[in-house]
Amino acid sequence: MSEPIRVLVTGAAGQIAYSLLYSIGNGSVFGKDQPIILVLLDITPMMGVLDGVLMELQDCALPLLKDVIATDKEDVAFKDLDVAILVGSMPRREGMERKDLLKANVKIFKSQGAALDKYAKKSVIVVGNPANTNCLTASKSAPSIPKENFSCLTRLDHNRAKAQIALKLGVTANDVKNVIIWGNHSSTQYPDVNHAKVKLQGKEVGVYEALKDDSWLKGEFVTTVQQRGAAVIKARKLSSAMSAAKAICDHVRDIWFGTPEGEFVSMGVISDGNSYGVPDDLLYSFPVVIKNKTWKFVEGLPINDFSREKMDLTAKELTEEKESAFEFLSSA
């Protein structure tokens, strides 16, 4: 058995964490021979609920869980971390402007970034959700941790895109690969299948070629993926938790073990030095490959005019969000 790793989940009493913690504890993220010290952080009023989660994790009797620590203190939670999964944030309430939400979350992620900077290992892997600008705020607040160590979750959108293509073609999601989510984890994101492949009757074909339905791919497919989160809330009266937790597991597992040969995934990463005309210093979702816990942009994909327009639009939104966030940051 290897040495245990310290993994933090914030917002640990919340509903995404409730779907996430068992998968982390049972070895399906970091492997079946990797012991874990699991650290659960939430705000003080949630400590009663968190005790219940702690009891349940004990009752799962998971052999890989060496210890579970529940706390409301950042100095305890962020100490010597190998991995930090920042799920804890203010949820959007009905009638709330995006800007108000951003303001509340900037405060949370600024504080968590500072705690990472002060207490965590410098090699810590940090995953932020909900997503881009919050994660950028944490990174800016942790100057001693490489900004490449911060990534945000667009894997749920990626999985949604994969699933829609699979459903349309009557194959399994596993038969679809290399879909891309460009940009922000918001309704301006651009799900792109120009480079995606699907396995049909044992051979790989391009998705456009397989579907022969360009108007669906440029219309309903895009809007379905963009608005899927809202559709789930409308139906369930709660936001996506099971699928969000599954996406976090996929995202972290790919960082830990690398991406399969010939496949790339979408994640929000720092845009510095990209070759797709996206401004530097944004946390923007790109297609990446991962090896030895290090991601690289997938280079050289041709971008058509339709894609260019959509990629620029979401970059513009992220630039505006960043500017608002940094205004709040200097006053927070």
Side-chain angles (χ1 to χ4, degrees), residues 190-317:
Y190 170 44
D192 174 9
V193 290
N194 283 293
H195 313 285
K197 299 262 190 285
V198 58
K199 196 184 276 171
L200 288 177
Q201 282 105 39
K203 81 174 197 280
E204 273 190 2
V205 270
V207 164
Y208 266 85
E209 190 192 331
L211 266 172
K212 300 184 178 53
D213 189 347
D214 293 18
S215 65
W216 182 78
L217 283 171
K218 287 182 169 171
E220 196 187 323
F221 163 71
V222 171
T223 51
T224 299
V225 176
Q226 286 174 335
Q227 293 162 16
R228 187 70 159 187
V232 171
I233 290 177
K234 199 172 170 211
R236 266 195 93 225
K237 312 292 177 261
L238 289 164
S239 61
S240 323
M242 175 170 46
S243 54
K246 155 67 164 63
I248 292 168
C249 291
D250 290 347
H251 177 115
V252 177
R253 189 190 316 107
D254 282 345
I255 293 176
W256 202 253
F257 290 108
T259 44
E261 196 59 45
E263 268 185 57
F264 48 78
V265 295
S266 307
M267 54 172 75
V269 293
I270 194 74
S271 59
D272 300 7
N274 77 86
S275 61
Y276 292 106
V278 175
D280 281 356
D281 204 37
L282 292 177
L283 226 90
Y284 186 102
S285 180
F286 288 94
V288 297
V289 288
I290 305 162
K291 201 176 176 175
N292 303 328
K293 299 187 176 62
T294 307
W295 57 265
K296 277 197 180 82
F297 296 121
V298 174
E299 299 286 5
L301 299 172
I303 303 297
N304 60 30
D305 293 345
F306 179 81
S307 297
R308 180 77 270 159
E309 194 182 323
K310 294 259 189 279
M311 287 161 70
D312 290 346
L313 187 77
T314 190
K316 183 172 175 277
E317 181 183 61

Side-chain angles (χ1 to χ4, degrees), residues 38-104:
L38 191 54
V39 189
L40 311 176
L41 175 69
D42 216 311
I43 54 175
T44 311
M46 296 303 288
M47 290 311 285
V49 176
L50 198 55
D51 275 340
V53 175
L54 180 66
M55 286 188 251
E56 281 209 73
L57 278 167
Q58 290 166 344
D59 298 349
C60 286
L62 294 162
L64 291 173
L65 281 187
K66 290 296 163 216
D67 196 7
V68 183
I69 299 156
T71 183
D72 55 358
K73 295 181 179 53
E74 286 186 341
D75 57 340
V76 175
F78 286 88
K79 188 154 179 47
D80 296 332
L81 289 181
D82 294 288
V83 180
I85 302 172
L86 310 180
V87 190
S89 68
M90 168 90 87
R92 188 169 181 174
R93 299 201 174 86
E94 227 169 315
M96 200 180 198
E97 281 299 315
R98 216 180 147 83
K99 225 169 177 176
D100 302 332
L101 186 65
L102 195 61
K103 192 171 188 171

Side-chain angles (χ1 to χ4, degrees), residues 12 21-22 30 118 123-124 133 177 222 224 228 238 243 246 265 268 300:
L21 293 168
Y22 176 73
F30 298 103
K118 195 167 172 187
S123 59
V124 65
T133 303
K177 68 175 193 186
V222 171
T224 299
R228 187 70 159 187
L238 289 164
S243 54
K246 155 67 164 63
V265 295

